[in-house]
Amino acid sequence: MKRREFITLLGGAAAAWPLAARAQQTRMPVVGYLRSGSRAASSQVEAGFRQGLSSIGFIEGRNVAIDYQYAENQNDRLMALTADLVRQPMAVIYAGDNITAVMVKAATTTIPVVFRIGGDPIQLGLVTSLSRPDGNMTGVSFLSTATGAIRLQMMREAVPNAAVIGLLVNPANPNAELDTQEAQNAARKLGLELHVVGASNAQEIDTAFATLVQQRAHALVIDADPLFSNRRQQLTALTAHHTIPAIYTTREFPDAGGLMSYGASNVDADRLGGIYVGRLLKGEKPADLPVQQAVKVELIINLITAKVLGLTIPLPLLGRADEVIE
């Protein structure tokens, strides 16, 4: 074999060699970073995660390796990626959303895991106590159900004449049933008619909007879900096309042309998750790290979109906004 051919073959083999194995040769701990969604939509939260890691002394490529894995909203692929990660010598696994955390919980009881979820980790079966998590898991939780009722109230404020409001959920999300119940309770208190539609892929999102138009929904609340975050361009385009004002869970939506969002800061939640991963890398145990509540919430309003929709946002609501896009 010629020298050039040998070098090319060697390079190809190195590229195919698992990151965990390569890092093990240099005694560098490897973090398995796993999400159900798309990496293209996750650059900001990845940066928040690395910021948390660096704040506790771990710099990617210097003293820690990160194996990024994304399932691109395919549950079968997520199951395969989860199984692959737990077979490798991971120092810690970071589970970046609800369905990922549930799958990782079922896959390993030995590898330390940090989850970052929107929901109650006890109800999801991840831990039995927030103050002293049992087993191999701890993490960060922002209670999206607690803010869901507030989003419905804000949508009512933004569109005072709205009597029929839609709620878009992903039935595959472990929190979907609870979120729906909370929204229905809030709608009854507000005297609103709530129509719940579900979507688990891009085509079903189109179908859900067609259903909402038939039901003459005046406004829309979009539940927290990785699929919806990854499809935010589609969602904001559909709300504009059908002239349906909508409120979302995170600021990425108003940045993409959505009307408004209210919820936890994803970037801050991942920063907190990165800090916990760093603490585990330093030798602390998951059971000694209480589940953190991400308390930073933000209201973002896009006045450019409001004008396109023909809406005048009430001044009291504008006054509560953390940021107004003009």
Side-chain angles (χ1 to χ4, degrees):
M1 181 181 290
K2 294 181 179 179
R3 181 174 181 273
R4 179 176 297 177
E5 292 172 344
F6 175 75
I7 292 173
T8 301
L9 179 62
L10 186 62
W17 199 14
L19 176 61
R22 282 181 276 148
Q24 195 174 36
Q25 294 295 312
T26 60
R27 301 183 183 277
M28 188 182 295
V30 181
V31 174
Y33 183 100
L34 183 61
R35 286 185 182 272
S36 66
S38 165
R39 188 168 192 181
S42 303
S43 59
Q44 292 182 337
V45 292
E46 272 191 17
F49 176 77
R50 288 189 292 268
Q51 180 186 4
L53 267 178
S54 65
S55 72
I56 203 165
F58 288 96
I59 309 298
E60 182 180 12
R62 183 182 303 172
N63 57 357
V64 66
I66 305 175
D67 188 357
Y68 299 96
Q69 298 291 341
Y70 286 84
E72 303 295 336
N73 303 304
Q74 300 174 38
N75 285 351
D76 289 347
R77 183 175 179 183
L78 181 61
M79 291 178 65
L81 290 174
T82 302
D84 183 58
L85 278 182
V86 301
R87 284 194 297 263
Q88 298 185 48
M90 294 293 161
V92 181
I93 292 177
Y94 183 71
D97 50 67
N98 294 24
I99 190 170
T100 301
V102 171
M103 283 196 184
V104 173
K105 169 72 173 180
T108 180
T109 58
T110 56
I111 301 173
V113 177
V114 174
F115 54 75
R116 174 268 199 203
I117 61 168
D120 186 340
I122 295 177
Q123 289 185 330
L124 290 175
L126 302 178
V127 296
T128 57
S129 168
L130 298 180
S131 58
R132 285 195 63 82
D134 56 329
N136 61 322
M137 301 188 85
T138 187
V140 181
S141 169
F142 48 92
L143 297 179
S144 58
T145 51
T147 56
I150 300 174
R151 280 191 289 275
L152 193 61
Q153 171 65 44
M154 288 179 170
M155 198 73 265
R156 177 67 178 273
E157 289 183 62
V159 191
N161 295 326
V164 180
I165 293 184
L167 172 67
L168 177 65
V169 301
N170 181 351
N173 190 309
N175 266 359
E177 184 176 351
L178 180 60
D179 289 351
T180 298
Q181 292 174 355
E182 293 287 340
Q184 289 170 334
N185 292 337
R188 279 193 292 270
K189 292 177 182 178
L190 293 169
L192 296 170
E193 184 179 338
L194 186 72
H195 290 286
V196 182
V197 291
S200 299
N201 56 52
Q203 183 176 354
E204 289 179 1
I205 290 174
D206 289 333
T207 303
F209 269 82
T211 301
L212 289 170
V213 170
Q214 290 176 350
Q215 295 171 337
R216 300 185 182 279
H218 303 134
L220 176 62
V221 176
I222 296 181
D223 201 27
D225 189 83
L227 169 68
F228 301 151
S229 296
N230 296 334
R231 303 299 304 179
R232 56 182 175 266
Q233 297 291 349
Q234 178 187 5
L235 286 166
T236 55
L238 283 167
T239 57
H241 176 73
H242 294 292
T243 322
I244 301 178
I247 186 168
Y248 309 84
T249 54
T250 61
R251 67 162 302 131
E252 289 85 0
F253 289 92
D255 286 342
L259 175 62
M260 55 196 293
S261 68
Y262 178 77
S265 166
N266 277 338
V267 174
D268 189 61
D270 277 78
R271 181 186 63 80
L272 295 173
I275 291 172
Y276 258 21
V277 168
R279 291 179 66 175
L280 293 181
L281 290 174
K282 287 190 172 185
E284 295 188 63
K285 305 299 182 185
D288 297 328
L289 298 178
V291 174
Q292 296 187 82
Q293 298 292 322
V295 297
K296 181 180 178 181
V297 295
E298 52 190 8
L299 170 62
I300 313 295
I301 298 175
N302 189 325
L303 284 184
I304 300 172
T305 300
K307 184 176 180 180
V308 171
L309 295 171
L311 285 179
T312 300
I313 304 296
L315 288 177
L317 186 58
L318 272 178
R320 301 203 301 274
D322 295 275
E323 184 177 337
V324 176
I325 299 172
E326 300 183 81

